[in-house]
Amino acid sequence: MTADVPLPARPATLEDVALVAGVSRATVSRVINGATTVDPALRRMVEEAVGTTGYVPNRAARSLVTRRTDSIALVVSERERRTVSEPFVGRMFSDPYFGRVVSGLLEVLRPAGIQLVLMLADDQESRDQLLSYLRHGHVDGVVLISSHAEDPLPGLLHDTRLPAVLAGQPRRPTPITYVEADQRAGAQLAADHLASLGRHRIGTVSGPQDMPAGQARLSGFLDALAVHGIRDVAAAEGDFTHAGGAAAMRRLLADRPDLDAVFIASDLMALGAIPVLLRAGKDVPRDVALVGFDDSSAALACDPPLTTVRQPVEEMSAEMARLLLKQIGKPGTPAPSVIFHPTLVRRQSA
């Protein structure tokens, strides 16, 4: 129970908190700095006293003691000069995937008082600036979203010795913790579902083939269809954008106008593809059954609502945050990588 002590008309100090809580200044300091060895009852008393006094920790002073900044970087890395239908920044803020990643990270980081710093890297200059920022100790760790197979950043990031977690398994051998959804297994779910509907003239709008997710979804889909005896599969490469999905669907229909099913490797591309099918006189799902990938807000924006493969992005991102905080709290302790399993969400498109 905190003491009823009059407070001075100035910013509260550690001594004020200690006086109100009835504990030592050292105990207050340990609580403020996140020590895990403080008795829970004493911790509650200090926290109540912090609220009573309005004490605001001096982050600069605290950093000198803890050597932490209470911030982590969310780094989004992309191949430079990749041909796409929208600029890098525009795609990032329009794609539901990135919003879901941020939501999952904040679910864990916000209660821990950790700030999130967004950083973009899409050419050599921006990578150099990023690495300089990280090496100067501005953040405690990094969550990296890397969009292409040959990205040097996972290896460069490991060389900084900063705690780090990668969204997706690195394609080059790199001792870095990652969180991944089984992309091939998700695409196999789509193939099995379309085959179970009795569809045989099947095509796919794939993701970019310079991206690991695009490669895995395409190969997993084709391999699963081959098991069902379906090997003549038309494919058009998209770029994971709304406009790119529309353009790829036009190419796919020009090549195979008799299609009766299509797997589209992202919901956002499916949102662009459906109007193309409708304008071509194709009813969805009667003439063409559609399955997407992600189970994002774009799946519900489709008309009809999209049957899709769900990868639990929010849960995956929350796990990335937890793994990163464990590394930060116990430097040098290896954190296990985690693979999530996708599921099929059935709606009206297939």
Side-chain angles (χ1 to χ4, degrees), residues 151-174:
D151 191 352
L153 263 184
L156 295 172
L157 185 57
H158 175 258
D159 292 342
T160 69
R161 305 302 178 188
L162 265 177
V165 177
L166 179 62
Q169 184 175 0
R171 293 312 183 257
R172 295 177 175 177
T174 306

Side-chain angles (χ1 to χ4, degrees), residues 187-201:
Q188 289 165 0
L189 290 174
D192 292 342
H193 179 63
L194 291 175
S196 75
L197 298 176
R199 308 293 173 125
H200 299 287
R201 300 183 303 278

Side-chain angles (χ1 to χ4, degrees), residues 73-79 88 119-132 134-135 142-162 164-166 170-176:
L74 171 59
V75 177
V76 182
S77 173
E78 173 160 298
R79 180 190 294 277
F88 180 24
M119 305 192 72
L120 311 178
D122 61 348
D123 57 26
Q124 188 59 51
E125 181 181 3
S126 60
R127 281 193 291 271
D128 291 342
Q129 291 173 345
L130 167 68
L131 292 170
S132 175
L134 298 180
R135 290 182 178 120
V142 178
V143 171
L144 174 61
I145 300 175
S146 175
S147 68
H148 60 100
E150 301 305 315
D151 191 352
L153 263 184
L156 295 172
L157 185 57
H158 175 258
D159 292 342
T160 69
R161 305 302 178 188
L162 265 177
V165 177
L166 179 62
R171 293 312 183 257
R172 295 177 175 177
T174 306
I176 188 170

Side-chain angles (χ1 to χ4, degrees), residues 279-335:
R279 284 194 295 271
K282 306 286 188 180
D283 180 82
V284 178
R286 186 186 65 231
D287 300 324
V288 180
L290 288 185
V291 176
F293 201 108
D294 286 329
D295 194 28
S296 68
S297 58
L300 295 176
C302 290
D303 185 14
L306 190 66
T307 293
T308 187
V309 176
R310 172 173 173 77
Q311 55 172 345
V313 175
E314 291 87 353
E315 294 91 332
M316 292 162 61
S317 301
E319 183 64 16
M320 286 191 285
R322 284 189 285 267
L323 290 172
L324 186 60
L325 292 183
K326 286 180 182 178
Q327 291 184 47
I328 293 170
K330 296 182 177 180
T333 302

Side-chain angles (χ1 to χ4, degrees), residues 240-270:
F240 284 152
T241 71
H242 180 281
M249 181 56 74
R250 284 191 290 269
R251 296 195 303 274
L252 194 62
L253 279 178
D255 182 41
R256 290 288 299 273
D258 63 339
L259 288 171
D260 63 6
V262 180
F263 168 52
I264 304 181
S266 82
D267 297 344
L268 194 59
M269 289 198 298

Side-chain angles (χ1 to χ4, degrees), residues 55-237:
Y55 174 73
V56 178
N58 184 321
R59 282 187 173 271
R62 180 181 174 184
S63 293
L64 290 174
V65 175
T66 64
R67 296 186 178 273
R68 295 184 189 171
T69 64
D70 288 337
S71 62
I72 70 164
L74 171 59
V75 177
V76 182
S77 173
E78 173 160 298
R79 180 190 294 277
E80 53 191 301
R81 295 185 297 278
R82 185 162 66 85
T83 301
V84 290
S85 55
E86 300 174 25
F88 180 24
V89 175
R91 286 199 316 285
M92 190 183 69
F93 286 107
S94 64
D95 189 333
Y97 172 78
F98 293 103
R100 295 174 68 191
V101 168
V102 172
S103 177
L105 291 173
L106 291 180
E107 179 184 333
V108 174
L109 298 178
R110 184 176 288 160
I114 307 296
Q115 300 299 314
L116 192 63
V117 180
L118 175 63
M119 305 192 72
L120 311 178
D122 61 348
D123 57 26
Q124 188 59 51
E125 181 181 3
S126 60
R127 281 193 291 271
D128 291 342
Q129 291 173 345
L130 167 68
L131 292 170
S132 175
Y133 184 86
L134 298 180
R135 290 182 178 120
H136 280 83
H138 295 295
V139 296
D140 299 322
V142 178
V143 171
L144 174 61
I145 300 175
S146 175
S147 68
H148 60 100
E150 301 305 315
D151 191 352
L153 263 184
L156 295 172
L157 185 57
H158 175 258
D159 292 342
T160 69
R161 305 302 178 188
L162 265 177
V165 177
L166 179 62
Q169 184 175 0
R171 293 312 183 257
R172 295 177 175 177
T174 306
I176 188 170
T177 299
Y178 64 87
V179 174
E180 172 76 286
D182 191 333
Q183 306 289 328
R184 283 183 55 88
Q188 289 165 0
L189 290 174
D192 292 342
H193 179 63
L194 291 175
S196 75
L197 298 176
R199 308 293 173 125
H200 299 287
R201 300 183 303 278
I202 299 176
T204 181
V205 172
S206 75
Q209 291 306 290
D210 63 347
M211 295 177 63
Q215 295 168 357
R217 293 176 196 180
L218 178 60
S219 63
F221 183 68
L222 295 178
D223 289 349
L225 284 183
V227 172
H228 293 283
I230 302 171
R231 292 182 172 82
D232 181 17
V233 181
E237 184 175 343

